């Protein structure tokens, strides 16, 4: 499902930064280091353009893909034995109900105050894509971050290499004319590379645990309460590292970095560790 377009200043800033970094990388860093008409220059320009294209492509998809809506007709089946206990509120034992949307919500769905609706498997609301990161666009958002990290580090290497080459050739007058572009690019690329790398590492951790950002913070509190009561808290959706990866990125490793999400299901029901236990006990 696609979303409508609305102006967003953070998105405009991101797009402007991407365009600026791309043109500086190709037409200044690569050109001044290798020369665009040489084989190394053409190869680096083509590879960087491919990475930048995938970055922009996934960024656009993350913006315009609806993260997942709770159907207005959704009603939990309390008589279904497959409905696990963790889909019930911890306080009071009631079914999960959104007072603001006035309808029931499935497990892992949360209400977004910015979007003013419930989002399936909500991770967080991201101002940089002017959209929630949820069930339908989480993989796309993650892939965007992967390509963004690669592009930033690649561009930073080309920037350093270009500067080193300039100093070796002692072309001071020529270097001065591009000094502003080098300074601005460095001020953008260094913090972006660090911030995006940290963000990527964080989401790799979440994927390996099959958690959302919201579930991580809820789990910290649940773990504290469990330890206080002498119990051990286990995240119900943790199926093991490889299974967790395939749940988000897909069953085929060749499609992990492609924006394909046919495997994700409807977002109303997710496999849990309890399902495996139930299946094992039934087969005995």
């Amino acid at each position: 499902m696609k979303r409508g377009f609305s102006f967003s200043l953070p998105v405009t800033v991101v797009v402007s930064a991407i365009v600026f970094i791309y043109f500086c990388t190709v037409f200044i860093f690569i050109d001044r280091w290798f020369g665009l008409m040489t084989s190394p220059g053409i190869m680096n320009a083509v590879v960087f353009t491919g990475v930048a294209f995938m970055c922009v492509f996934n960024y656009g998809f993350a913006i315009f893909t609806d993260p997942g809506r709770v159907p207005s007709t959704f009603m939990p089946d309390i008589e279904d034995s497959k409905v696990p206990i963790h889909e019930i509120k911890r306080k009071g034992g009631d079914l999960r109900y959104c007072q603001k949307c006035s309808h029931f919500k499935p497990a892992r769905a949360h209400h977004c105050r910015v979007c003013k609706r419930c989002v399936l498997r909500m991770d967080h609301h991201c101002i940089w894509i002017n959209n929630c990161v949820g069930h339908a666009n989480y993989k796309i958002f993650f892939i965007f971050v992967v390509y963004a990290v690669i592009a930033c580090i690649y561009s930073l290497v080309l920037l350093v290499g270009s500067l080193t080459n300039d100093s070796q050739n002692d072309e001071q007058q020529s270097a001065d004319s591009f000094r502003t572009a080098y300074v601005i690019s460095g001020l953008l690329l260094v913090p972006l590379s660090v911030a995006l790398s940290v963000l990527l590492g964080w989401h790799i951790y979440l994927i390996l645990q099959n958690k959302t950002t919201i579930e991580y913070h809820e789990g910290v509190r649940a773990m504290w309460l469990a330890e206080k009561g002498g119990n051990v808290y286990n995240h119900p959706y943790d199926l093991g590292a490889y299974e967790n990866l395939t749940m988000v990125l897909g069953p085929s490793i060749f499609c992990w970095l492609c924006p394909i999400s046919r495997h994700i299901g409807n977002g109303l029901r997710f496999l849990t560790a309890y399902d495996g236990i139930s299946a094992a006990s039934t087969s005995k």
Side-chain angles (χ1 to χ4, degrees), residues 133-151:
V133 177
H135 176 66
N137 67 348
Y138 181 79
K139 178 186 174 181
I140 299 169
F141 172 80
F142 176 77
I143 296 173
F144 158 67
V145 175
V146 171
Y147 283 112
V149 169
I150 295 172

Side-chain angles (χ1 to χ4, degrees), residues 39-186:
S39 295
I42 293 173
M43 182 191 69
N44 279 280
V46 169
V47 172
F48 185 78
T49 299
V51 174
F53 172 79
M54 290 302 296
C55 181
V56 172
F57 182 76
N58 284 283
Y59 183 63
F61 258 74
I63 292 172
F64 292 108
T65 301
D66 192 293
R69 297 173 179 268
V70 178
S72 58
T73 56
F74 173 76
M75 180 67 68
D77 187 357
I78 59 176
E79 295 183 357
D80 186 357
S81 59
K82 294 183 179 180
V83 176
I85 191 66
H86 56 270
E87 294 190 13
I88 309 298
K89 285 184 179 179
R90 286 191 295 270
K91 294 182 179 180
D94 299 326
L95 290 169
R96 302 180 77 242
Y97 186 84
C98 181
Q99 299 290 342
K100 297 177 181 177
C101 294
S102 300
H103 61 60
F104 290 99
K105 55 183 178 182
R108 314 188 85 177
H110 296 274
H111 186 88
C112 176
R113 292 177 293 179
V114 180
C115 296
K116 295 181 173 57
R117 64 183 176 90
C118 288
V119 175
L120 295 174
R121 195 188 179 275
M122 180 177 172
D123 186 89
H124 69 287
H125 183 90
C126 180
I127 63 169
W128 301 108
I129 66 172
N130 193 32
N131 194 9
C132 270
V133 177
H135 176 66
N137 67 348
Y138 181 79
K139 178 186 174 181
I140 299 169
F141 172 80
F142 176 77
I143 296 173
F144 158 67
V145 175
V146 171
Y147 283 112
V149 169
I150 295 172
C152 285
I153 294 176
Y154 193 177
S155 180
L156 195 57
V157 169
L158 291 170
L159 184 154
V160 173
S162 177
L163 281 174
T164 304
N165 184 63
D166 280 342
S167 63
Q168 289 175 349
N169 293 336
D170 196 25
E171 297 179 0
Q172 186 62 38
Q173 184 177 356
S174 177
D176 287 343
S177 61
F178 294 102
R179 182 170 296 172
T180 302
Y182 279 112
V183 171
I184 296 175
S185 297

